[in-house]
Every structure is written in structure tokens, then in C-alpha cells.
Amino acid sequence: MSSILTVRGIVKSYGVSPALRGVTIDVAEGEIVAVTGPSGCGKSTLLYCASGIMRPDAGEVTFNGSRIDTWSESRRSELRRSQFGVLFQFGQLVAELPAADNIALPLLLRGTPRRNALTAARTWLDRLGIADVAGKRPGEMSGGQAQRVALARALVTEPRILFADEPTGALDTLNGETVLNQITRVTRDQGTTVLLVTHEAKVAAYADREVPLRDGELDPSGLGLRGATPVGAA
Amino acid sequence: MSTSYVLLGLLTTGPHHGYELKHAHDSALPQAKPLGFGQVYATLGRLERDGLVVKAGSEQDGGPERTTFALTEPGRAALTSWLAEVEPAAPHVASTLLAKVVVALLTAGETAARDYLIRQRQTHTERMRELTRVKSDPNASVGDVVAADFALVHLDADLRWLETTLGRVAELHQEVRS
């Protein structure tokens, strides 16, 4: 499989605090990769840099053969709207809009006629088993329902890559499992690549591969041992 | 059974009699069930029968005569091979994992203990991926899902324990060597 996303030697600091110290990863098309590690290891920063939300201080981010870290903010925004879907832990739905409108939003922003956008939104509500919340606003939904609406919104544009930052961090076990099953099933059906950030081994177990980080660097041992490679690891 | 290997590990520091081994075992693994003297001598008898230890002499320090035992080369080889083997990733292996870490620290030092923990972590994460595939299969029965859940939460707990233990390896090394 060819690489759809490559992050090479990226460095990012917040003021004087380094968050990433030269991280390189390659993600193949259709692969589900979990970036893991404890709080503060740089995994969310890696997702922000890889998805173009943030620009790294050094290093390169390549999507589908094009280097995107040098692009302007507006060009990266356009890329996110058209090619990427992003799912956060919480707080991503527009509180005033019903679920169907929330899901339709990315399509409306790129000029899809309202009727078509809402039809697509309803298809996704059906697909994720939450057709009954179509008319509800985020405040009227459970956490699990809201996160599935957010997932539908991230996938309605049929992105090439889904970026998910602790997507089940605010959910109980069963709701978290539903969301993870839906993420993996739908993205595998569509061939969508997934870069998932989590601090939980049981969430990372849904991925094809784990990339452990520690203190802003790759940590192949998964146990914070710099430079160590587990015996038998590829 | 890890008791045999813990005793072999304790004998890497030199010949000891059963009384000393019982106390060294209970002090190296304070959370494990204390060994009975009968269990110590029965285990030493089996190890001697299998050629892994030999009688090395006897001591009489004002009390009853005590036979000391020493590790043999086959005993050392059996210990090394046990330490090299990661445990199958299954629930309830934490006590064996702990015994292995402590014995690795006693016999081979921090690097070997860390190397063991890394390999064990990999075995656990691979098993968790397999179990997740089983329970995510749309055709999985509720029974399959519930059994996979049980194994997954235990493996997850073991993994967190492995990570914490790794952070304590240096401290643990000092403690088991003291």
C-alpha cells in the first residue's frame, strides 16, 4: 500500500516547551493507526500538525504526494474541508443546530445545495443508527449520540483521512465501543485512512498498528524507553 | 509453576538452605502467599530430582542440621530459558509476571528485566488487537463479546501495571538485591 500521509522530522514547541522533537511516521492508504502515549507526550500536537490545523516549527507533512505544511492557512482549511474529517473528544457540534443540520454543515460550506446536504445527513444518521435524533439539538442528546453525530459530520464529505483525537475519552465503555466500532467499520468500508490519538490501550487495540510517543519522540517500546525496540518487532 | 524458578533465581546468589530460601522468597515477593516450609522442601526435592539443584553440604549453627542446595548448570539454563519466554497474554498472569520481573532483576539486572517487560507488553497489545477483532466482528455472539471483554479489561490492567512496574524497576532492583 502506498503512503497517503507522511510526517517527517516534525518539531513543534509551545513557547519554550517542546511538544514534538522530530517525529516521523508514514501512514498507508486505508490504514488505521493509533498514536498512543501518556498526557503531554505530544500526540494531539502530532494530530494537529498532520491535519494542517497547526503548522510545525520544522519538518514536513506530506498528503497524497503534496507537501502541505508550507501552504497558507486558507489553503489548509480548504484541504481539511474537502479531504479530511476531524473528530475531537467533545465540544464540536453547533449548539443551536439540530443534528441533521450539524451533519450537513461541511457540505453546505462547500456549496452543496441544502436539500442534497440534508439528504446526505439523513443517510449518515441512518447508517450510524441514530435517525431518531435528526431533529434534536446537541443539548437534547446523550454524550454517545452527540459523538455519533460528530462522527457523521466528520465523514459526510467522504474524506480521505479521518483524524480522531481521543474520540471516546468522554464516553462510558459501551458508548465508546459503539463509536469505535462505527469508526472502524465505516472507514474500512470506504477505504478511509484513520489517524487516531488515544492514551488507552483498549482503544488503540481497534487500530491496525500503534505508534507510541513519549516526551515528544517515538517510543517503540511503548514503555518510555528511548531507542528501545521490542524483540521481534517489525 | 513460578515458585521453582523463584527458588532457582534465589540460588543464583550462592548455595542456601531451605529456611533461608523461604525467607528470601517472602521478602522478594511480599504480595505473594508466604511459602510453607513443606512447600520449599518439596520444591527443592523436585528440583534435585530433575538435576536443577544439588545438595552442597550442611550447616549446623547451634540448631538443627540444615542441608544447603546449589544451582546446577542445567538449573541455570532452565532459569534462563524461563526468563526468556514471555507469558501467554491471558487474564490472571500478573503474579507470574511479577515473579519473572523480580527473578530477572535478581539474576540478570535491570536491562534484562526491562527487555522482558517490553516483550511482554508487545505480546499483550497483540492479543488485545486479536480480541478486539473477535468482539468487533458483526457475527460475534454475545458470549464471544463478553468473554473478549473480560480478557481485554484484565490485559489492559496488566499493561498499566507493566508500565508502572517499569518505572519502579530501579527501585525494585535495589530492594531485591538488599
Side-chain angles (χ1 to χ4, degrees), chain A residues 210 212 218-234, chain B residues 86 111-112 114-123 126 166:
Chain A
E210 179 192 7
L218 292 180
D219 167 28
S221 74
L223 289 165
L225 299 170
R226 215 161 283 167
T229 306
V231 174
Chain B
V86 292
T111 309
R114 288 203 169 100
D115 182 55
Y116 169 70
L117 287 171
I118 291 168
R119 286 182 292 124
Q120 189 66 54
R121 181 186 188 276
Q122 198 185 17
T123 303
E126 277 164 14
L166 191 97

Side-chain angles (χ1 to χ4, degrees), chain A residues 19-20 23 25 27 31 36 44 70 73 76 88 92 100 113 122 137 164 174 233:
Chain A
L20 292 173
V23 172
I25 57 171
V27 181
E31 199 179 17
T36 62
S44 292
T70 51
E73 171 52 37
R76 281 184 283 128
F88 295 104
Q92 48 209 316
R122 287 199 192 92
R137 290 179 171 75
L174 289 179

